[in-house]
Amino acid sequence: MLGIARAHTNIALIKYWGKKDKDLFLPMTSSLSLTLDAFYTDTKVQFDPSLQQDEFYLNLIPQEATPITRFLNLFRQYMDKTYYARVESLNFVPTGAGLASSASAFAALAGAINVASQLHFDAETLSTFARQGSGSATRSIYGGFVEWEKGTSSQTSLAKHIDNAEWDIGMIIIVVNTKEKTISSRSGMEHTVKTSPFYPAWVESSKQDLIAIKKAIHTKNFQTVGEIMEWNSMKMHATMLGANPPFSYFEPESILAHQQVYRLRQLGLPVYMTMDAGPNVKLLCRASDMDTIKKELSSVFSKNQLISSLPGKAMRTLTEKEWEHSLNTFKEHQL
Ligand code: 2P0
């Protein structure tokens, strides 16, 4: 009863910001993302009759297993025979890069449990499980462009694959260094839904953005995809400025990054920005322009503030040999 899986992080182009049902992680709006190749989580799950409780190791270090137990129970309710499990995760999402790893973490965990439990749910169903770990994990079940349909129930709030994104597309993450503690996305979105008079407008506008971006993805219209992405992100952040009391994830360097994007566009480079529940700025650009853009940005940001990635693939299962390889890679990088 062993299962191993790899899932990649994703960045939302059409954002998820607000829950209709906190317990089931049902979102107020549908969202759409791009899965990224460079950042992923590998997870191994073994159900073991000799265990007295669930065990969880993150990057080889033992952790409190309660959230994992809660997630394992979502699957255990369908299993004939249930055992405790040993869960080992390796995060290949650079720490300090300010990228949320919960998306890849819960998608990989769902994938590994799916094999270990021998339940073999299909990918869409699996995304409904991943969702109950963290909303954005719903979308990390698939590669390329992915839509999370908000649905009306736990069974219908799921991910759908939209496009492999195997065209000239990439992302550059501008890491904005900040030591300040920010508001978690979970509490930030709750506060926004409750208090921002802009929130209903966001729901309506985001619905339109989703329709338009899907059309643009379908016709591979890069400029329109970028423009809609940028506008959607700004509108999401505007809901926070309108909350009571207001809050914002912007840092001075986020604004600096925005100014650079405007400058790059004036130079004729098609590049667009988006920001999540943190100060880092993510750029959508042509993969073939990534080196030029990084070079341009190096006058303002240091090399290690600029991380790039191509589109990534869907969650997949790994063999034990691949796990051993992953473990060795992780240990080498740690040294
Ligand atoms: C997104 N974010 O669509 C949006 C945009 C942040 C801003 O998904 O409470 O960690 O676990 O469902 O998924 C971050 O929120 O929140 C997020 P929970 P999650 O990517």
Side-chain angles (χ1 to χ4, degrees), residues 7-10 41 100-108 130 134 136-140:
H8 296 261
T9 55
N10 70 78
T41 303
S101 56
S102 62
S104 55
F106 281 105
S134 187
S136 49
T138 316
R139 301 181 306 236
S140 273

Side-chain angles (χ1 to χ4, degrees), residues 16-219:
Y16 146 54
W17 194 247
K19 291 183 183 72
K20 198 164 53 187
D21 185 319
K22 240 174 27 177
D23 300 323
L24 290 174
F25 291 75
L26 299 182
M28 288 285 204
T29 58
S30 298
S31 55
L32 185 141
S33 59
L34 181 65
T35 301
L36 296 185
D37 180 59
F39 319 110
Y40 57 92
T41 303
D42 287 349
T43 294
K44 178 176 170 182
V45 171
Q46 175 123 44
F47 287 101
D48 183 345
S50 73
L51 291 177
Q52 303 301 310
Q53 57 186 31
D54 293 321
E55 291 177 3
F56 176 43
Y57 300 84
L58 176 61
N59 298 341
L60 310 172
I61 300 163
Q63 310 283 324
E64 163 60 40
T66 314
I68 300 293
T69 294
R70 193 192 134 267
F71 195 76
L72 281 160
N73 288 343
L74 296 174
F75 289 81
R76 277 196 279 238
Q77 60 181 317
Y78 296 101
M79 292 167 70
D80 295 334
K81 264 193 168 171
T82 63
Y83 302 115
Y84 289 114
R86 183 179 304 104
V87 176
E88 296 163 75
S89 273
L90 299 172
N91 237 343
F92 292 88
V93 182
T95 44
L99 287 168
S101 56
S102 62
S104 55
F106 281 105
L109 182 58
I113 301 172
N114 198 34
V115 176
S117 64
Q118 292 162 8
L119 288 166
H120 302 299
F121 289 115
D122 62 25
E124 275 186 10
T125 309
L126 211 49
S127 76
T128 68
F129 284 93
R131 188 196 74 234
Q132 294 171 74
S134 187
S136 49
T138 316
R139 301 181 306 236
S140 273
I141 293 293
Y142 290 112
F145 289 110
V146 184
E147 179 182 355
W148 170 15
E149 293 183 351
K150 69 183 167 91
T152 51
S153 63
S154 193
Q155 288 74 33
T156 56
S157 185
L158 47 77
K160 287 257 168 85
H161 177 251
I162 298 289
D163 182 280
N164 283 337
E166 282 167 351
W167 21 310
D168 188 9
I169 245 177
M171 273 204 162
I172 297 173
I173 291 129
I174 303 180
V175 180
V176 169
N177 292 314
T178 173
K179 298 245 153 61
E180 280 193 24
K181 220 176 171 309
T182 54
I183 301 167
S184 76
S185 52
R186 211 162 276 191
S187 60
M189 63 175 85
E190 196 179 345
H191 177 65
T192 307
V193 175
K194 273 192 192 145
T195 67
S196 180
F198 299 166
Y199 193 76
W202 152 258
V203 170
E204 196 42 48
S205 189
S206 206
K207 216 186 284 173
Q208 303 307 321
D209 288 348
L210 182 65
I211 294 168
I213 208 167
K214 283 204 296 192
K215 259 189 210 155
I217 290 170
H218 189 66
T219 56

